[in-house]
Amino acid sequence: MSVVAVWLCDRDGSMFEDRKLAEEHDKYLELAANITQLIEENIPGIDEQHSEAIGLLLAQRRELLAKACKGKPDELLQPFTYEKPVTLNASVAAKS
């Protein structure tokens, strides 16, 4: 029997074999949550589902958003595909 180190992201229950990926995912979710909170506090009446979707979208595109804020606004309009990190949860579900 082998022992495998696993990192659990308490924000969404995702499990990772790689600590770096787990930390990146946690930072992404933290940023999305903070953006969501910012939106909800500053846009009265916005639907929670929409504010969460906006928070996730901006967190996924954080690098393009940073470039846009530094004087390259066209960066935000570039084609983009978010690739969710591979988690142990997905591996276990795939084997079932």
Coordinates of all heavy atoms in Angstrom, one line a residue:
M1 N 0.8 -1.2 0.0 CA 0.0 0.0 0.0 C 0.9 1.2 0.0 O 1.8 1.3 0.8 CB -0.9 0.0 1.2 CG -1.7 1.2 1.4 SD -2.7 1.1 2.9 CE -4.2 1.6 2.2
S2 N 0.6 2.2 -0.9 CA 1.4 3.4 -0.9 C 0.6 4.5 -0.3 O -0.6 4.5 -0.2 CB 1.7 3.7 -2.4 OG 0.5 4.0 -3.1
V3 N 1.3 5.5 0.1 CA 0.7 6.7 0.7 C 0.9 7.9 -0.4 O 2.0 8.1 -0.9 CB 1.4 7.1 2.0 CG1 0.9 8.4 2.5 CG2 1.3 6.0 3.0
V4 N -0.2 8.6 -0.6 CA -0.2 9.7 -1.6 C -0.5 10.9 -0.8 O -1.6 11.0 -0.2 CB -1.1 9.4 -2.7 CG1 -1.2 10.6 -3.7 CG2 -0.8 8.1 -3.5
A5 N 0.3 11.9 -0.9 CA 0.0 13.2 -0.4 C -1.1 13.9 -1.2 O -1.0 13.9 -2.4 CB 1.2 14.1 -0.3
V6 N -2.1 14.4 -0.5 CA -3.2 15.1 -1.2 C -3.4 16.5 -0.6 O -3.4 16.6 0.6 CB -4.5 14.2 -1.2 CG1 -5.6 14.9 -1.8 CG2 -4.3 12.9 -1.8
W7 N -3.7 17.4 -1.4 CA -4.0 18.8 -1.0 C -5.5 19.0 -1.3 O -5.9 18.9 -2.4 CB -3.1 19.8 -1.6 CG -1.7 19.8 -1.0 CD1 -1.3 20.6 0.0 CD2 -0.7 19.0 -1.3 NE1 0.0 20.3 0.3 CE2 0.4 19.3 -0.5 CE3 -0.5 17.9 -2.3 CZ2 1.6 18.6 -0.5 CZ3 0.7 17.3 -2.3 CH2 1.8 17.6 -1.5
L8 N -6.2 19.4 -0.3 CA -7.6 19.7 -0.4 C -7.9 21.2 -0.4 O -7.5 21.9 0.5 CB -8.4 19.0 0.7 CG -9.9 19.3 0.8 CD1 -10.6 18.6 -0.4 CD2 -10.5 18.8 2.1
C9 N -8.6 21.6 -1.4 CA -9.0 23.0 -1.4 C -10.3 23.1 -0.7 O -11.3 22.6 -1.1 CB -9.2 23.5 -2.9 SG -9.7 25.2 -3.0
D10 N -10.3 23.8 0.5 CA -11.5 23.8 1.3 C -12.6 24.7 0.7 O -13.8 24.7 1.1 CB -11.2 24.2 2.7 CG -10.6 25.6 2.8 OD1 -10.3 26.2 1.8 OD2 -10.5 26.1 4.0
R11 N -12.3 25.5 -0.3 CA -13.3 26.4 -0.9 C -14.3 25.7 -1.8 O -15.5 26.0 -1.8 CB -12.6 27.5 -1.8 CG -11.8 28.5 -0.9 CD -11.2 29.5 -1.8 NE -10.2 30.3 -1.1 CZ -10.5 31.4 -0.4 NH1 -11.7 31.8 -0.3 NH2 -9.5 32.0 0.3
D12 N -13.8 24.6 -2.5 CA -14.7 23.9 -3.3 C -14.6 22.4 -3.2 O -15.2 21.6 -4.0 CB -14.6 24.3 -4.8 CG -13.3 23.9 -5.4 OD1 -12.4 23.4 -4.7 OD2 -13.1 24.1 -6.6
G13 N -13.7 21.9 -2.3 CA -13.6 20.5 -2.1 C -12.7 19.8 -3.2 O -12.6 18.5 -3.2
S14 N -12.0 20.5 -4.1 CA -11.2 19.9 -5.1 C -9.9 19.3 -4.4 O -9.4 19.9 -3.4 CB -10.7 20.9 -6.1 OG -11.8 21.4 -6.8
M15 N -9.5 18.2 -4.8 CA -8.3 17.6 -4.3 C -7.2 17.5 -5.4 O -7.5 17.2 -6.5 CB -8.6 16.2 -3.8 CG -9.5 16.2 -2.6 SD -9.7 14.5 -1.9 CE -10.6 13.7 -3.2
F16 N -5.9 17.8 -5.0 CA -4.8 17.8 -5.9 C -3.7 17.0 -5.4 O -3.4 16.9 -4.2 CB -4.3 19.2 -6.1 CG -5.3 20.2 -6.7 CD1 -6.3 20.8 -5.9 CD2 -5.4 20.4 -8.0 CE1 -7.2 21.7 -6.4 CE2 -6.3 21.3 -8.6 CZ -7.2 21.9 -7.8
E17 N -2.9 16.3 -6.3 CA -1.7 15.6 -5.9 C -0.5 16.6 -5.9 O 0.5 16.3 -5.3 CB -1.4 14.5 -6.9 CG -2.3 13.3 -6.7 CD -2.0 12.2 -7.6 OE1 -1.1 12.3 -8.5 OE2 -2.5 11.1 -7.4
D18 N -0.7 17.7 -6.6 CA 0.4 18.7 -6.7 C 0.0 19.9 -5.8 O -1.0 20.6 -6.0 CB 0.5 19.1 -8.2 CG 1.7 20.1 -8.4 OD1 1.7 21.2 -7.8 OD2 2.6 19.7 -9.2
R19 N 0.9 20.3 -4.9 CA 0.7 21.4 -4.0 C 0.6 22.7 -4.7 O -0.3 23.6 -4.4 CB 1.8 21.5 -2.9 CG 1.6 22.6 -2.0 CD 2.7 22.6 -0.9 NE 2.4 23.7 0.0 CZ 3.1 23.9 1.1 NH1 4.0 23.0 1.5 NH2 2.8 24.9 1.9
K20 N 1.4 22.9 -5.7 CA 1.4 24.2 -6.5 C 0.1 24.4 -7.2 O -0.5 25.5 -7.2 CB 2.6 24.2 -7.5 CG 2.7 25.5 -8.2 CD 3.9 25.4 -9.2 CE 4.0 26.7 -10.0 NZ 5.0 26.7 -11.0
L21 N -0.4 23.3 -7.8 CA -1.7 23.4 -8.5 C -2.8 23.7 -7.5 O -3.7 24.5 -7.8 CB -2.0 22.1 -9.2 CG -1.3 21.9 -10.5 CD1 -1.7 20.5 -11.1 CD2 -1.6 23.0 -11.6
A22 N -2.8 23.1 -6.3 CA -3.8 23.3 -5.3 C -3.7 24.8 -4.8 O -4.8 25.4 -4.7 CB -3.5 22.4 -4.1
E23 N -2.6 25.3 -4.6 CA -2.4 26.7 -4.2 C -2.9 27.7 -5.3 O -3.6 28.7 -5.0 CB -1.0 27.0 -3.8 CG -0.6 26.4 -2.5 CD 0.8 26.6 -2.1 OE1 1.6 27.1 -2.9 OE2 1.2 26.2 -0.9
E24 N -2.6 27.4 -6.6 CA -3.0 28.3 -7.7 C -4.6 28.3 -7.7 O -5.2 29.3 -7.9 CB -2.4 27.8 -9.0 CG -1.0 28.1 -9.2 CD -0.4 27.6 -10.5 OE1 -1.2 27.3 -11.4 OE2 0.8 27.4 -10.6
H25 N -5.1 27.1 -7.6 CA -6.6 27.0 -7.7 C -7.2 27.7 -6.5 O -8.2 28.4 -6.7 CB -7.0 25.5 -7.6 CG -8.5 25.2 -7.8 ND1 -9.1 25.5 -9.0 CD2 -9.4 24.8 -6.9 CE1 -10.4 25.2 -8.8 NE2 -10.6 24.8 -7.6
D26 N -6.7 27.6 -5.3 CA -7.2 28.3 -4.2 C -7.1 29.8 -4.4 O -8.1 30.6 -4.0 CB -6.5 27.9 -2.9 CG -7.1 28.5 -1.7 OD1 -8.3 28.2 -1.4 OD2 -6.4 29.3 -1.0
K27 N -6.0 30.3 -4.9 CA -5.9 31.8 -5.2 C -6.9 32.2 -6.2 O -7.4 33.3 -6.1 CB -4.4 32.1 -5.6 CG -3.4 32.0 -4.5 CD -2.0 32.3 -5.0 CE -1.0 32.1 -3.9 NZ 0.4 32.3 -4.4
Y28 N -7.1 31.4 -7.2 CA -8.1 31.7 -8.2 C -9.5 31.9 -7.6 O -10.2 32.8 -7.9 CB -8.1 30.6 -9.3 CG -9.4 30.4 -10.1 CD1 -9.8 31.4 -11.0 CD2 -10.1 29.3 -9.8 CE1 -11.0 31.1 -11.7 CE2 -11.3 29.1 -10.5 CZ -11.8 30.0 -11.4 OH -12.9 29.8 -12.1
L29 N -9.9 30.9 -6.8 CA -11.2 30.9 -6.1 C -11.3 32.1 -5.1 O -12.4 32.7 -5.0 CB -11.4 29.6 -5.4 CG -11.6 28.4 -6.3 CD1 -11.8 27.1 -5.5 CD2 -12.8 28.6 -7.2
E30 N -10.2 32.4 -4.5 CA -10.2 33.6 -3.5 C -10.4 34.9 -4.3 O -11.2 35.7 -3.9 CB -8.9 33.6 -2.7 CG -8.9 34.8 -1.8 CD -7.6 34.8 -0.9 OE1 -6.6 34.2 -1.3 OE2 -7.6 35.6 0.1
L31 N -9.7 35.0 -5.4 CA -9.9 36.2 -6.3 C -11.3 36.3 -6.8 O -11.9 37.4 -6.7 CB -8.9 36.2 -7.4 CG -9.0 37.3 -8.4 CD1 -8.8 38.7 -7.7 CD2 -8.0 37.1 -9.6
A32 N -11.9 35.2 -7.3 CA -13.2 35.2 -7.8 C -14.2 35.6 -6.7 O -15.1 36.4 -6.9 CB -13.6 33.8 -8.3
A33 N -14.0 35.1 -5.5 CA -14.9 35.4 -4.4 C -14.8 36.9 -4.0 O -15.8 37.5 -3.7 CB -14.6 34.5 -3.1
N34 N -13.6 37.4 -4.0 CA -13.4 38.8 -3.7 C -14.0 39.7 -4.8 O -14.6 40.8 -4.5 CB -12.0 39.2 -3.5 CG -11.4 38.6 -2.2 OD1 -12.2 38.2 -1.3 ND2 -10.1 38.5 -2.1
I35 N -13.9 39.4 -6.0 CA -14.5 40.1 -7.1 C -16.0 40.1 -7.0 O -16.7 41.1 -7.1 CB -14.0 39.6 -8.5 CG1 -12.6 39.9 -8.7 CG2 -14.9 40.2 -9.6 CD1 -12.0 39.2 -9.9
T36 N -16.5 38.9 -6.7 CA -18.0 38.7 -6.5 C -18.5 39.6 -5.4 O -19.5 40.3 -5.6 CB -18.3 37.3 -6.2 OG1 -17.9 36.4 -7.3 CG2 -19.8 37.1 -6.0
Q37 N -17.8 39.6 -4.3 CA -18.2 40.5 -3.2 C -18.1 42.0 -3.5 O -19.0 42.7 -3.2 CB -17.3 40.2 -1.9 CG -17.7 41.0 -0.7 CD -16.8 40.7 0.5 OE1 -16.1 39.7 0.5 NE2 -16.9 41.6 1.5
L38 N -17.1 42.4 -4.2 CA -17.0 43.7 -4.7 C -18.1 44.2 -5.6 O -18.7 45.2 -5.4 CB -15.6 43.9 -5.4 CG -15.4 45.3 -6.0 CD1 -15.1 46.3 -4.9 CD2 -14.2 45.2 -7.0
I39 N -18.5 43.3 -6.5 CA -19.6 43.6 -7.4 C -20.9 43.7 -6.6 O -21.7 44.6 -6.8 CB -19.7 42.5 -8.5 CG1 -18.5 42.6 -9.4 CG2 -21.1 42.6 -9.2 CD1 -18.4 41.4 -10.3
E40 N -21.2 42.7 -5.7 CA -22.4 42.7 -4.9 C -22.5 43.9 -4.0 O -23.6 44.4 -3.8 CB -22.5 41.4 -4.1 CG -22.8 40.2 -5.0 CD -22.8 38.9 -4.3 OE1 -22.5 38.8 -3.1 OE2 -23.2 37.9 -4.9
E41 N -21.4 44.4 -3.5 CA -21.4 45.6 -2.6 C -21.6 46.9 -3.4 O -22.0 47.9 -2.8 CB -20.1 45.7 -1.8 CG -20.0 44.6 -0.7 CD -18.7 44.6 0.0 OE1 -17.8 45.4 -0.4 OE2 -18.5 43.7 0.9
N42 N -21.3 46.9 -4.6 CA -21.3 48.2 -5.4 C -22.3 48.2 -6.5 O -22.5 49.3 -7.1 CB -19.9 48.4 -6.0 CG -18.9 48.8 -4.9 OD1 -18.9 49.9 -4.5 ND2 -18.1 47.8 -4.5
I43 N -23.0 47.2 -6.8 CA -24.1 47.2 -7.8 C -25.3 46.7 -7.1 O -25.6 45.4 -7.0 CB -23.7 46.3 -9.0 CG1 -22.4 46.8 -9.6 CG2 -24.8 46.3 -10.0 CD1 -21.9 46.0 -10.8
P44 N -26.1 47.6 -6.6 CA -27.4 47.2 -5.9 C -28.3 46.4 -6.8 O -28.5 46.7 -8.0 CB -28.0 48.5 -5.5 CG -26.9 49.6 -5.7 CD -26.0 49.0 -6.7
G45 N -28.9 45.3 -6.2 CA -29.8 44.5 -7.0 C -29.3 43.5 -7.9 O -30.1 42.8 -8.6
I46 N -28.0 43.4 -8.0 CA -27.5 42.4 -9.0 C -27.7 41.0 -8.4 O -27.7 40.7 -7.2 CB -25.9 42.5 -9.2 CG1 -25.5 41.6 -10.4 CG2 -25.1 42.3 -8.0 CD1 -24.2 42.0 -11.0
D47 N -28.1 40.1 -9.3 CA -28.4 38.7 -8.9 C -27.1 38.0 -8.5 O -26.0 38.2 -9.1 CB -29.0 38.0 -10.2 CG -29.3 36.6 -9.9 OD1 -30.4 36.3 -9.3 OD2 -28.5 35.7 -10.4
E48 N -27.2 37.2 -7.4 CA -26.0 36.5 -6.9 C -25.4 35.6 -7.9 O -24.1 35.5 -8.1 CB -26.4 35.7 -5.6 CG -25.2 35.0 -5.0 CD -25.6 34.3 -3.8 OE1 -26.7 34.6 -3.1 OE2 -24.9 33.3 -3.4
Q49 N -26.2 34.9 -8.7 CA -25.7 34.0 -9.7 C -24.9 34.8 -10.8 O -23.8 34.3 -11.2 CB -26.8 33.3 -10.4 CG -26.4 32.1 -11.2 CD -27.6 31.3 -11.7 OE1 -28.8 31.8 -11.6 NE2 -27.4 30.2 -12.3
H50 N -25.4 36.0 -11.2 CA -24.6 36.8 -12.2 C -23.3 37.3 -11.6 O -22.3 37.3 -12.3 CB -25.5 37.9 -12.7 CG -26.6 37.4 -13.5 ND1 -28.0 37.6 -13.2 CD2 -26.6 36.7 -14.7 CE1 -28.7 37.1 -14.1 NE2 -27.9 36.5 -15.1
S51 N -23.4 37.8 -10.4 CA -22.1 38.3 -9.8 C -21.1 37.3 -9.6 O -19.9 37.5 -9.8 CB -22.4 39.0 -8.4 OG -22.9 38.1 -7.5
E52 N -21.5 36.0 -9.3 CA -20.5 34.9 -9.2 C -19.9 34.6 -10.5 O -18.7 34.3 -10.7 CB -21.2 33.7 -8.6 CG -21.4 33.8 -7.1 CD -22.1 32.6 -6.5 OE1 -22.2 31.5 -7.2 OE2 -22.5 32.6 -5.3
A53 N -20.8 34.6 -11.6 CA -20.3 34.3 -12.9 C -19.3 35.4 -13.4 O -18.3 35.0 -14.0 CB -21.5 34.2 -13.9
I54 N -19.6 36.6 -13.1 CA -18.7 37.7 -13.4 C -17.4 37.5 -12.7 O -16.3 37.7 -13.2 CB -19.3 39.1 -13.2 CG1 -20.5 39.3 -14.1 CG2 -18.3 40.2 -13.3 CD1 -21.4 40.5 -13.7
G55 N -17.5 37.2 -11.4 CA -16.3 37.0 -10.5 C -15.4 35.9 -11.1 O -14.2 36.1 -11.2
L56 N -16.0 34.8 -11.5 CA -15.2 33.7 -12.0 C -14.6 34.0 -13.4 O -13.4 33.7 -13.6 CB -16.1 32.4 -12.2 CG -16.5 31.8 -10.9 CD1 -17.6 30.7 -11.1 CD2 -15.3 31.1 -10.2
L57 N -15.4 34.7 -14.2 CA -14.9 35.1 -15.5 C -13.6 36.0 -15.4 O -12.6 35.8 -16.0 CB -16.0 35.9 -16.3 CG -15.5 36.5 -17.6 CD1 -15.2 35.4 -18.6 CD2 -16.6 37.5 -18.1
L58 N -13.7 37.0 -14.5 CA -12.6 37.9 -14.3 C -11.4 37.3 -13.7 O -10.2 37.5 -14.0 CB -13.0 39.2 -13.6 CG -14.0 40.1 -14.3 CD1 -14.4 41.2 -13.4 CD2 -13.5 40.6 -15.6
A59 N -11.7 36.3 -12.8 CA -10.6 35.6 -12.1 C -9.9 34.7 -13.1 O -8.6 34.6 -13.1 CB -11.1 34.8 -10.9
Q60 N -10.6 34.1 -14.0 CA -10.1 33.2 -15.1 C -9.2 34.0 -16.0 O -8.2 33.5 -16.5 CB -11.2 32.5 -15.9 CG -11.9 31.5 -15.1 CD -13.2 31.0 -15.8 OE1 -13.6 31.5 -16.8 NE2 -13.9 30.1 -15.2
R61 N -9.6 35.2 -16.3 CA -8.9 36.1 -17.2 C -8.0 37.1 -16.5 O -7.7 38.1 -17.1 CB -9.9 36.8 -18.1 CG -10.6 35.8 -19.0 CD -11.6 36.5 -19.9 NE -12.2 35.6 -20.8 CZ -12.4 35.8 -22.1 NH1 -11.9 36.9 -22.7 NH2 -13.0 34.9 -22.8
R62 N -7.6 36.8 -15.3 CA -6.8 37.8 -14.5 C -5.6 38.3 -15.2 O -5.2 39.5 -15.1 CB -6.5 37.2 -13.1 CG -5.6 36.0 -13.1 CD -5.6 35.4 -11.7 NE -4.9 34.1 -11.7 CZ -5.4 33.0 -12.0 NH1 -6.7 32.9 -12.3 NH2 -4.7 31.8 -11.9
E63 N -4.9 37.4 -15.9 CA -3.6 37.8 -16.6 C -3.9 38.8 -17.7 O -3.2 39.8 -17.9 CB -2.8 36.6 -17.0 CG -2.3 35.8 -15.8 CD -1.6 34.5 -16.3 OE1 -1.4 34.3 -17.5 OE2 -1.3 33.7 -15.4
L64 N -5.0 38.5 -18.5 CA -5.4 39.4 -19.6 C -5.9 40.7 -19.0 O -5.6 41.7 -19.6 CB -6.4 38.7 -20.5 CG -6.0 37.5 -21.2 CD1 -7.2 36.8 -22.0 CD2 -4.9 37.8 -22.2
L65 N -6.6 40.6 -17.9 CA -7.1 41.8 -17.3 C -6.0 42.7 -16.8 O -6.0 43.9 -17.0 CB -8.1 41.4 -16.1 CG -8.8 42.5 -15.4 CD1 -9.7 43.3 -16.4 CD2 -9.6 42.0 -14.3
A66 N -5.0 42.1 -16.3 CA -3.8 42.9 -15.8 C -3.1 43.6 -17.0 O -2.8 44.8 -16.9 CB -2.8 42.0 -15.1
K67 N -3.0 42.9 -18.1 CA -2.4 43.5 -19.3 C -3.2 44.6 -19.8 O -2.7 45.7 -20.2 CB -2.2 42.5 -20.4 CG -1.1 41.5 -20.1 CD -1.0 40.5 -21.3 CE 0.0 39.4 -21.0 NZ 0.1 38.4 -22.1
A68 N -4.6 44.4 -19.8 CA -5.5 45.5 -20.2 C -5.4 46.7 -19.3 O -5.4 47.9 -19.8 CB -6.9 45.0 -20.2
C69 N -5.2 46.5 -18.0 CA -5.1 47.7 -17.1 C -3.8 48.4 -17.3 O -3.6 49.6 -16.9 CB -5.2 47.2 -15.7 SG -6.9 46.7 -15.3
K70 N -2.8 47.7 -17.9 CA -1.5 48.3 -18.1 C -1.3 49.0 -19.4 O -0.2 49.2 -19.9 CB -0.4 47.3 -17.9 CG -0.3 46.8 -16.4 CD 0.8 45.8 -16.2 CE 0.9 45.3 -14.8 NZ 1.9 44.3 -14.6
G71 N -2.5 49.2 -20.1 CA -2.4 49.9 -21.4 C -2.6 49.1 -22.6 O -2.5 49.6 -23.7
K72 N -3.0 47.9 -22.5 CA -3.3 47.0 -23.6 C -4.7 46.5 -23.6 O -5.0 45.3 -23.4 CB -2.3 45.9 -23.7 CG -0.9 46.3 -23.9 CD 0.0 45.1 -23.9 CE 1.5 45.6 -24.1 NZ 2.4 44.4 -24.2
P73 N -5.7 47.4 -23.7 CA -7.1 47.0 -23.5 C -7.6 45.9 -24.5 O -8.5 45.1 -24.2 CB -7.9 48.3 -23.7 CG -7.0 49.2 -24.4 CD -5.6 48.8 -24.1
D74 N -7.0 45.8 -25.7 CA -7.4 44.8 -26.7 C -7.1 43.4 -26.2 O -7.7 42.4 -26.7 CB -6.7 45.0 -28.0 CG -7.2 46.3 -28.7 OD1 -8.3 46.8 -28.3 OD2 -6.5 46.8 -29.6
E75 N -6.2 43.2 -25.2 CA -5.9 41.9 -24.7 C -7.1 41.2 -24.1 O -7.2 40.0 -24.3 CB -4.8 42.0 -23.5 CG -3.5 42.4 -24.0 CD -2.8 41.3 -24.8 OE1 -3.0 40.1 -24.5 OE2 -2.0 41.7 -25.8
L76 N -8.1 41.9 -23.6 CA -9.3 41.3 -23.0 C -10.1 40.7 -24.1 O -10.9 39.8 -23.8 CB -10.1 42.4 -22.3 CG -9.7 42.6 -20.8 CD1 -10.6 43.7 -20.2 CD2 -9.8 41.4 -20.0
L77 N -10.0 41.1 -25.3 CA -10.9 40.6 -26.4 C -10.3 39.4 -27.1 O -10.9 38.9 -28.0 CB -11.2 41.7 -27.3 CG -11.9 43.0 -26.7 CD1 -12.1 44.0 -27.7 CD2 -13.2 42.6 -26.0
Q78 N -9.0 39.0 -26.7 CA -8.4 37.9 -27.3 C -9.1 36.6 -27.0 O -9.7 36.5 -25.9 CB -6.9 37.8 -26.9 CG -6.1 39.0 -27.2 CD -6.0 39.2 -28.7 OE1 -5.9 38.3 -29.5 NE2 -6.1 40.5 -29.1
P79 N -9.2 35.7 -27.9 CA -9.8 34.4 -27.6 C -9.1 33.7 -26.4 O -7.9 33.8 -26.2 CB -9.5 33.5 -28.9 CG -9.2 34.5 -30.0 CD -8.6 35.7 -29.3
F80 N -9.9 33.1 -25.6 CA -9.5 32.6 -24.3 C -10.2 31.3 -24.0 O -11.4 31.3 -24.1 CB -9.6 33.6 -23.2 CG -9.2 33.1 -21.9 CD1 -7.9 33.2 -21.5 CD2 -10.1 32.7 -21.0 CE1 -7.5 32.7 -20.3 CE2 -9.8 32.2 -19.7 CZ -8.4 32.3 -19.4
T81 N -9.5 30.3 -23.5 CA -10.1 29.1 -23.1 C -9.6 28.8 -21.7 O -8.4 28.6 -21.5 CB -9.9 27.9 -24.0 OG1 -10.3 28.2 -25.3 CG2 -10.6 26.7 -23.5
Y82 N -10.4 28.7 -20.7 CA -10.0 28.4 -19.4 C -9.9 26.9 -19.2 O -10.9 26.2 -19.5 CB -11.0 29.0 -18.3 CG -10.6 28.6 -16.9 CD1 -9.5 29.1 -16.3 CD2 -11.3 27.6 -16.2 CE1 -9.1 28.8 -15.0 CE2 -11.0 27.3 -14.9 CZ -9.9 27.9 -14.3 OH -9.5 27.5 -13.0
E83 N -8.8 26.4 -18.8 CA -8.6 25.0 -18.6 C -8.5 24.7 -17.1 O -7.6 25.1 -16.4 CB -7.3 24.5 -19.3 CG -7.4 24.6 -20.8 CD -6.2 24.0 -21.5 OE1 -5.5 23.1 -20.9 OE2 -5.9 24.5 -22.6
K84 N -9.6 24.1 -16.6 CA -9.7 23.8 -15.1 C -8.6 22.8 -14.8 O -8.4 21.9 -15.6 CB -11.1 23.3 -14.8 CG -11.3 23.1 -13.3 CD -12.7 22.7 -13.0 CE -12.8 22.5 -11.5 NZ -14.2 22.1 -11.2
P85 N -7.9 23.0 -13.7 CA -6.8 22.1 -13.4 C -7.4 20.7 -13.1 O -8.5 20.5 -12.6 CB -6.2 22.7 -12.1 CG -7.2 23.7 -11.6 CD -8.0 24.1 -12.7
V86 N -6.6 19.7 -13.4 CA -7.0 18.3 -13.2 C -6.9 18.1 -11.7 O -5.9 18.3 -11.0 CB -6.0 17.3 -13.9 CG1 -6.4 15.9 -13.6 CG2 -6.1 17.6 -15.4
T87 N -8.0 17.6 -11.1 CA -8.1 17.3 -9.7 C -8.3 15.8 -9.5 O -8.7 15.0 -10.4 CB -9.3 18.0 -9.1 OG1 -10.5 17.5 -9.7 CG2 -9.3 19.5 -9.3
L88 N -8.0 15.3 -8.3 CA -8.3 13.9 -8.0 C -9.7 13.6 -8.0 O -10.1 12.5 -8.4 CB -7.7 13.6 -6.6 CG -6.2 13.6 -6.5 CD1 -5.7 13.4 -5.1 CD2 -5.6 12.5 -7.4
N89 N -10.6 14.6 -7.7 CA -12.0 14.4 -7.8 C -12.4 14.0 -9.2 O -13.2 13.1 -9.3 CB -12.8 15.7 -7.4 CG -12.3 16.3 -6.1 OD1 -11.1 16.5 -5.9 ND2 -13.3 16.7 -5.3
A90 N -11.9 14.6 -10.2 CA -12.2 14.3 -11.6 C -11.7 12.9 -11.9 O -12.3 12.2 -12.6 CB -11.6 15.4 -12.5
S91 N -10.5 12.6 -11.4 CA -9.9 11.3 -11.7 C -10.8 10.2 -11.1 O -11.0 9.1 -11.7 CB -8.5 11.2 -11.2 OG -7.7 12.2 -11.7
V92 N -11.2 10.4 -9.9 CA -12.1 9.4 -9.2 C -13.4 9.2 -9.9 O -13.9 8.1 -10.2 CB -12.3 9.7 -7.7 CG1 -13.3 8.8 -7.1 CG2 -10.9 9.7 -7.0
A93 N -14.0 10.3 -10.3 CA -15.3 10.3 -11.0 C -15.2 9.6 -12.4 O -16.1 8.9 -12.8 CB -15.8 11.7 -11.2
A94 N -14.0 9.8 -13.1 CA -13.8 9.2 -14.4 C -13.7 7.7 -14.3 O -14.1 7.0 -15.2 CB -12.6 9.8 -15.0
K95 N -13.1 7.2 -13.2 CA -12.9 5.8 -13.0 C -14.2 5.1 -12.6 O -14.4 3.9 -12.8 CB -11.9 5.5 -11.9 CG -10.5 5.9 -12.3 CD -9.5 5.7 -11.2 CE -8.1 6.1 -11.6 NZ -7.1 6.0 -10.6
S96 N -15.2 5.8 -12.1 CA -16.5 5.2 -11.6 C -17.3 4.7 -12.8 O -17.4 5.2 -13.8 CB -17.3 6.2 -10.8 OG -16.5 6.6 -9.7

